[in-house]
């Protein structure tokens, strides 16, 4: 292949685009080490204090804990309900199937403001006090559709012959489900659960309408942003970032290794 | 499959339709009950709230059921600039996100295909912004656009920006933030379709003496259309309803407020629920209309 400068345009453009995506992340990470007193705007000097005493800033750790609890609860609800829906939609033909698909698509096409305001209006008219419960209900709602989409893709790529084999070996329907279907679906379900947790953890707009006095991490950031964000918020965000990145890298290397193993077998 | 584009790329296996709807019903019931209770009912209560009238001599935030359809005329009259801004900003941001994302997705999905490890690393970098809080990312841009940063000084030195001008609080900053925040949503679905693109089609175009440009326009682009459709929807819908970027604690100011800001202010601060509800119903109606027309126009019928 001949070298031509035109061939460099695309890699160069892509490198710039990726750099653009990473700028705020690098900024947030650097400023997590800033020796700031109150607001973390101007660079003062390098310190590790923010990392070693994260919980010193008022409310940061509580908000972080709240987000974790809400995320886990919402993920469990959305993953269980969504997996059942996905299996039904991918495996069974019944009347009203397309209406149900539409109803699952709609929450994804609805702007978050509308979902949040709708739920809040509902809780208001039913006089339900806002708090932990209402946040979890709201988060599980918007995670549900994403779980269905993710798990459904996995169910549709499943070979029905494997379940038939289970039935031929006199497995009861429950045994076949627990020992054949579920293990095969597990990677899809795990992916859906991780996606749910990530969506819940980062949600602000819907939470804002339904949180009442409870503060999740994004709500904390929003309230603090008006009066100056402490560097400890950057520490938490950076730590979560590193954790998620490690998780993705481990997942990708292990699935690449599995693919290599399978390729060797074939 | 517009919204399913993120999902697994495994080909669906032909499945024998089974007719045991009893089991299907048991599987569906809990999820459907949840959706009915926390999605459909809230939408209905939004519609009911949107035509409520204040209680006579009541406190702030007290309303009673009425059939005050005038609420809708009033909100359109009061807030049409914010509506225009929402859809205008979202449209421009979607356009720029597409311009940035398409080449990036092409590079990762087609050019980098011989090197799977590079592909995996690049893809991880594209989704990296998801791992850091949406609010903090936007807040970081606010700091980077503050008055005395090198970026702003540089723009002033090049007299792109006037000596007293500010970046934060301008439509530019808001559109910039929206574009930035939704690039991964645009890149991923386009990447998914380009990753499956059979490069032999491109060779065929070349063999038939098509210029690279006409191969791109007549082969690559049409084949990646489903990804473009999902990407633009995944960007446009949340961007039109977003109010973080346009909020004055982040990249916006009072003169850039979008419809989401108005809904938030009316619902949470002013406790004027009917106004917030009427605006929400209008926003959702307009978005569904736009999405419906758009999907019909480009001809991708199966969204889910």
């Amino acid at each position: 292949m001949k070298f031509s400068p035109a061939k460099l345009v695309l890699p160069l453009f892509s490198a710039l685009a990726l750099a653009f995506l990473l700028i705020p992340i690098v900024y947030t990470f650097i400023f997590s080490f800033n020796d700031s007193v109150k607001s973390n705007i101007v660079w003062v000097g390098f310190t590790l204090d923010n990392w070693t005493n994260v919980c010193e800033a008022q409310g940061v750790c509580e908000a972080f804990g709240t987000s974790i609890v809400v995320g886990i609860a919402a993920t469990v609800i959305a993953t269980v309900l969504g997996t059942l829906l996905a299996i039904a939609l991918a495996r069974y033909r019944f009347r009203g199937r397309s209406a149900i698909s539409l109803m699952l698509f709609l929450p994804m096409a609805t702007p978050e403001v509308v979902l949040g305001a709708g739920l809040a209006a509902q809780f208001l008219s039913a006089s339900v006090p806002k708090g932990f419960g209402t946040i979890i209900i709201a988060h599980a709602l918007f995670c549900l559709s994403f779980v269905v989409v993710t798990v459904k893709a996995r169910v549709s790529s499943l070979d029905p012959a494997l379940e038939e084999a289970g039935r031929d070996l006199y497995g009861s329907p429950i045994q076949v489900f627990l020992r054949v279907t579920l293990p095969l679906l597990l990677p899809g379900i795990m992916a859906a659960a991780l996606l749910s947790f990530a969506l819940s953890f980062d949600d602000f707009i819907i939470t804002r309408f339904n949180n009442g006095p409870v503060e999740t991490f994004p709500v904390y950031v929003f309230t603090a942003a008006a009066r100056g964000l402490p560097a400890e918020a950057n520490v938490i965000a950076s730590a979560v970032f590193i954790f998620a990145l490690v998780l993705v890298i481990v997942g990708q290397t292990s699935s690449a290794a599995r693919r290599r193993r399978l390729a060797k077998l074939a | 499959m517009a919204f399913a584009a993120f999902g697994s790329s495994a080909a669906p296996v032909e499945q024998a339709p089974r007719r045991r709807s009893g089991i299907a019903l048991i599987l569906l019931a809990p999820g459907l009950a949840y959706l009915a209770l926390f999605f459909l009912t809230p939408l209905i209560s939004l519609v009911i709230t949107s035509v409520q009238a204040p209680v006579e001599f009541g406190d702030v935030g007290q309303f009673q059921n009425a059939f005050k359809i005038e609420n809708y005329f009033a909100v359109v009259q009061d807030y049409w600039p914010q509506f225009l801004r929402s859809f205008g900003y979202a449209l421009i941001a979607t356009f720029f996100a597409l311009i940035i994302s398409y080449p990036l997705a092409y590079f990762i999905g087609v050019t980098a295909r011989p090197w799977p490890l590079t592909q995996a690393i690049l893809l991880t970098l594209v989704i990296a912004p998801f791992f850091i809080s949406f609010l903090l990312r936007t807040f970081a841009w606010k700091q980077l656009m503050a008055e005395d940063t090198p970026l702003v000084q540089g723009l002033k030195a090049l007299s792109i920006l006037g000596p007293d001008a500010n970046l934060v609080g301008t439509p530019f900053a808001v559109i910039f933030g929206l574009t930035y925040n939704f690039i991964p949503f645009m890149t991923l679905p386009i990447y998914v379709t380009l990753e499956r693109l059979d490069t032999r089609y491109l060779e065929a175009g070349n063999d038939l003496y098509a210029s690279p440009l006409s191969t791109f326009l007549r082969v690559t682009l049409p084949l990646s259309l489903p990804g473009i459709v999902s990407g633009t929807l995944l960007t446009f819908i949340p961007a039109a309803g977003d109010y973080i970027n346009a909020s004055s604690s982040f990249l916006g100011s009072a003169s850039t407020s979008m419809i989401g800001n108005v809904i938030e202010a009316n619902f949470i601060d002013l406790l004027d629920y009917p106004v917030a509800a009427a605006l929400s119903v209008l926003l959702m109606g307009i978005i569904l209309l736009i999405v419906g027309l758009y999907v019909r126009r480009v001809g991708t019928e199966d969204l889910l």
Side-chain angles (χ1 to χ4, degrees):
Chain A
M1 225 191 281
K2 235 174 28 193
F3 173 81
S4 74
K7 284 211 162 47
L8 278 178
V9 173
L10 192 59
L12 219 65
F13 182 91
S14 304
L16 283 177
L18 286 174
F20 173 58
L21 282 178
L22 300 181
I23 288 171
I25 301 175
V26 174
Y27 177 92
T28 305
F29 186 67
I30 292 175
F31 272 73
S32 75
F33 296 104
N34 188 15
D35 195 5
S36 62
V37 184
K38 221 165 169 209
S39 73
N40 189 13
I41 296 171
V42 189
W43 181 260
V44 182
F46 181 86
T47 177
L48 285 173
D49 285 357
N50 307 324
W51 281 79
T52 47
N53 305 316
V54 197
C55 293
E56 221 153 73
Q58 216 190 353
V60 177
C61 285
E62 288 83 347
F64 179 69
T66 305
S67 277
I68 300 274
V69 173
V70 166
I72 291 172
T75 300
V76 169
I77 298 174
T79 310
V80 172
L81 297 180
T83 304
L84 297 180
L85 280 173
I87 294 174
L89 284 170
R91 277 301 166 82
Y92 298 95
R93 300 282 169 272
F94 44 85
R95 258 186 300 161
R97 201 167 161 278
S98 54
I100 293 171
S101 287
L102 181 71
M103 194 158 119
L104 282 164
F105 164 73
L106 272 181
M108 289 195 280
T110 309
E112 286 192 55
V113 182
V114 179
L115 281 181
L119 271 170
Q122 163 93 332
F123 292 138
L124 195 73
S125 67
S127 326
V128 178
K130 290 178 191 170
F132 257 103
T134 52
I135 303 178
I136 293 169
I137 288 174
H139 284 200
L141 172 72
F142 68 76
C143 294
L144 184 61
S145 301
F146 288 95
V147 172
V148 175
V149 169
T150 315
V151 178
K152 211 176 117 198
R154 185 82 194 174
V155 180
S156 332
S157 66
L158 207 69
D159 190 349
L162 294 169
E163 289 172 305
E164 272 159 34
R167 276 191 295 277
D168 289 347
L169 294 165
Y170 300 105
S172 71
I174 293 176
Q175 273 177 321
V176 172
F177 179 77
L178 289 179
R179 303 182 64 172
V180 180
T181 319
L182 203 60
L184 286 169
L185 289 183
L186 210 57
I189 296 174
M190 280 304 291
L194 285 177
L195 180 66
S196 283
F197 186 82
L199 286 171
S200 160
F201 188 81
D202 202 24
D203 178 76
F204 170 72
I205 296 183
I206 297 180
T207 315
R208 168 92 166 135
F209 282 88
N210 296 293
N211 70 331
V214 178
E215 239 181 18
T216 61
F217 184 65
V219 172
Y220 173 84
V221 171
F222 185 82
T223 335
R227 50 181 153 82
L229 205 56
E232 282 82 355
N234 295 38
V235 172
I236 294 216
S238 308
V240 170
F241 176 79
I242 294 166
F243 179 73
L245 202 62
V246 169
L247 214 62
V248 167
I249 292 169
V250 168
Q252 274 186 346
T253 23
S254 73
S255 78
R258 197 168 53 234
R259 242 176 284 134
R260 263 199 301 279
R261 262 204 319 276
L262 287 175
K264 250 185 225 154
L265 285 174
Chain B
M1 291 285 260
F3 280 79
F6 288 128
S8 113
S9 53
V13 177
E14 202 59 51
Q15 310 226 345
R18 280 179 242 166
R19 292 184 185 281
R20 280 180 300 166
S21 8
I23 296 180
L25 201 67
I26 295 170
L27 294 174
L28 289 168
L32 289 184
Y34 199 90
L35 281 174
L37 202 57
F38 300 119
F39 178 64
L40 291 184
T41 325
L43 288 185
I44 295 167
S45 74
L46 214 48
V47 173
I48 295 172
T49 311
S50 72
V51 287
Q52 279 180 339
V55 174
E56 240 182 307
F57 312 115
D59 274 337
V60 178
Q62 287 191 313
F63 296 90
Q64 60 191 8
N65 286 341
F67 195 68
K68 218 176 144 215
I69 206 92
E70 299 91 281
N71 283 350
Y72 281 90
F73 303 120
V75 296
V76 171
Q77 202 158 40
D78 291 347
Y79 299 114
W80 63 268
Q82 282 86 343
F83 265 113
L84 279 184
R85 233 176 261 145
S86 285
F87 291 111
Y89 290 179
L91 200 66
I92 301 171
T94 307
F95 173 77
F96 281 113
L98 180 63
I99 298 291
I100 296 170
S101 298
Y102 199 95
L104 181 60
Y106 189 91
F107 181 72
I108 302 175
V110 181
T111 317
R113 211 182 282 174
W115 307 285
L117 185 67
T118 314
Q119 237 184 340
I121 294 171
L122 294 177
L123 215 53
T124 309
L125 291 178
V126 170
I127 56 168
F130 287 150
F131 304 150
I132 208 147
S133 157
F134 176 75
L135 294 174
L136 275 172
R137 268 182 277 150
T138 315
F139 197 68
W141 278 120
K142 181 188 180 172
Q143 309 291 3
L144 288 164
M145 287 183 188
E147 254 175 278
D148 42 2
T149 55
L151 177 78
V152 177
Q153 297 295 336
L155 287 176
K156 282 183 179 169
L158 294 167
S159 30
I160 295 172
L161 214 61
D164 308 317
N166 254 329
L167 264 186
V168 177
T170 60
F172 170 83
V174 176
I175 294 169
F176 181 96
L178 289 171
T179 308
Y180 171 80
N181 277 313
F182 294 107
I183 284 177
F185 290 96
M186 184 69 92
T187 309
L188 286 177
I190 298 178
Y191 159 79
V192 170
T193 52
L194 285 175
E195 217 278 322
R196 290 187 210 144
L197 178 79
D198 192 336
T199 44
R200 283 173 301 183
Y201 289 142
L202 307 183
E203 286 161 24
N206 192 31
D207 291 346
L208 294 165
Y209 299 106
S211 68
L213 181 69
S214 83
T215 308
F216 176 76
L217 289 178
R218 299 172 73 170
V219 180
T220 315
L221 200 61
L223 284 174
S224 57
L225 199 61
I228 298 177
V229 174
S230 347
T232 43
L233 288 179
L234 283 172
T235 304
F236 181 80
I237 298 170
D242 183 77
Y243 66 82
I244 307 299
N245 289 284
S247 130
S248 45
S249 345
F250 289 83
L251 298 171
S253 62
S255 65
T256 62
S257 82
M258 292 165 63
I259 209 65
N261 300 86
V262 183
I263 296 175
E264 192 227 13
N266 276 294
F267 204 108
I268 293 169
D269 304 328
L270 307 173
L271 307 181
D272 197 340
Y273 306 119
V275 166
L279 289 168
S280 303
V281 172
L282 281 177
L283 177 66
M284 178 153 182
I286 297 172
I287 284 188
L288 286 182
L289 193 73
I290 294 176
V291 170
L293 288 175
Y294 176 64
V295 170
R296 177 162 296 183
R297 177 85 181 73
V298 291
T300 316
E301 288 286 323
D302 50 340
L303 274 162
L304 192 83

